[in-house]
């Protein structure tokens, strides 16, 4: 099958289009013929080698973390899916590879495709929607009337998180550039801070939750927005000791993560705020709940551009500019 591969880690390096064998189908797996694949900043970071200590892949590696497609075969123990089912998923971290014609995924990580979306729209959903769900529902337990700040509101995670927070009944603020204010408001944001003209930490106060996807400066400024007892959740790091335990890191790596996050954890503690790093995980059950919200019209994907499969490298380059509104997708079939 045709696949886009990382042969060696290199900052900004191009993926190689090559032939690889079809993946092995395990007894709890579904084999999915890939119709479309979402492109994420995570893909660029993996290609660049930013996670090689945390996620030791064997190279060459087929890249890609979001998929929409059709089930063609199922493993011996799979009962909930059958051939011809239209599905979507974020494969488990150790089994990525959606920039290919086929992928085998554990059935527990798969959900039926929302009926009201195209394959391209659906492929844009899994990673960002699961990130928003795991941050706001699972970790923050956002309640009606709480105040939530979502950074980078026009990005892939941001566009989903704004809508999910509003669905949960929160009062939502977001940060974005001048060009994307209208988009953020259309998604339901109550307050939009234009970071080119205003400093969010001077405009916002008394928030219960902040979801950060930006750098260290934004992370630390976010502490000033939160009230005591608030939660600062970051998907851009630094990783913390809980994350090290979650991925089963050895003693040395646990100490490295402890040191990396020491500063922000100490500053958070002083302000009686909890800091946590979130690295989202595959979860078909959560995706099924997201499907219900999409079909009910509570949330919708924001799709910026669709690239043909052979232009996957161009899609990665475009994502790397940081200018995409919502998500970028490649069509495979």
């Amino acid at each position: 099958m045709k696949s886009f591969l990382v042969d060696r880690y290199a900052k900004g390096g191009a993926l190689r289009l090559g032939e690889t064998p079809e993946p092995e189908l395990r007894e709890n797996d579904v084999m999915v013929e890939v119709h479309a694949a979402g492109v994420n900043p995570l893909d660029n970071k993996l290609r660049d080698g930013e996670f090689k200590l945390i996620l030791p892949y064997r190279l060459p590696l087929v890249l890609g973390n979001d998929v929409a497609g059709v089930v063609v075969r199922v493993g011996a123990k799979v009962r909930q899916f059958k051939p011809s089912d239209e599905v979507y998923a974020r494969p488990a971290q150790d089994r990525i590879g959606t920039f290919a014609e086929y992928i085998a995924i554990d059935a527990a990580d798969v959900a039926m495709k929302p009926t009201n979306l195209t394959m391209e729209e659906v492929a844009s959903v899994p990673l960002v929607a699961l990130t928003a769900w795991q941050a706001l529902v699972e970790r923050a337990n956002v309640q009606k009337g709480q105040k939530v700040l979502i950074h980078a509101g026009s990005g892939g995670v941001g566009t989903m998180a704004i809508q999910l927070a509003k669905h949960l009944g929160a009062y939502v603020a977001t940060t974005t550039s001048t060009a994307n204010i209208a988009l953020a408001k259309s998604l339901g944001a109550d307050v939009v801070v234009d970071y080119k003209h205003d400093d969010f930490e001077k405009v916002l106060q008394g928030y219960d939750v902040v979801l950060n996807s930006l750098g260290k400066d934004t992370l630390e400024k976010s502490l000033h927005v939160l009230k005591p007892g608030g939660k600062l959740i970051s998907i851009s790091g630094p990783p913390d000791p809980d994350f090290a335990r979650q991925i089963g890191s050895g003693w040395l790596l646990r100490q490295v993560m402890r040191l990396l996050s020491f500063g922000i954890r100490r500053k958070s503690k002083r302000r009686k705020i909890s800091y946590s790093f979130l690295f989202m995980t595959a979860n078909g059950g959560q995706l099924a709940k997201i499907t219900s919200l999409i079909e009910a019209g509570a949330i919708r994907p924001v799709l910026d551009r669709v690239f043909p499969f052979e232009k996957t490298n161009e899609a990665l380059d475009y994502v790397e500019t940081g200018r995409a509104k919502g998500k970028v997708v490649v069509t495979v079939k």
Side-chain angles (χ1 to χ4, degrees), residues 186-207:
S186 76
L187 296 171
D190 297 289
V191 178
V192 182
V193 179
D194 180 349
Y195 67 77
K196 294 193 172 181
H197 294 106
D198 293 303
D199 193 337
F200 74 89
E201 68 172 324
K202 293 175 181 170
V203 179
L204 308 173
Q205 57 191 21
Y207 277 69

Side-chain angles (χ1 to χ4, degrees), residues 28 33 130 167 175 194 245 257 259 271 317 332:
N28 291 311
E33 180 184 53
L130 285 170
H167 171 72
T175 56
D194 180 349
R245 284 190 285 275
M257 291 190 203
L259 282 170
R271 291 179 165 268
D317 290 343
V332 180

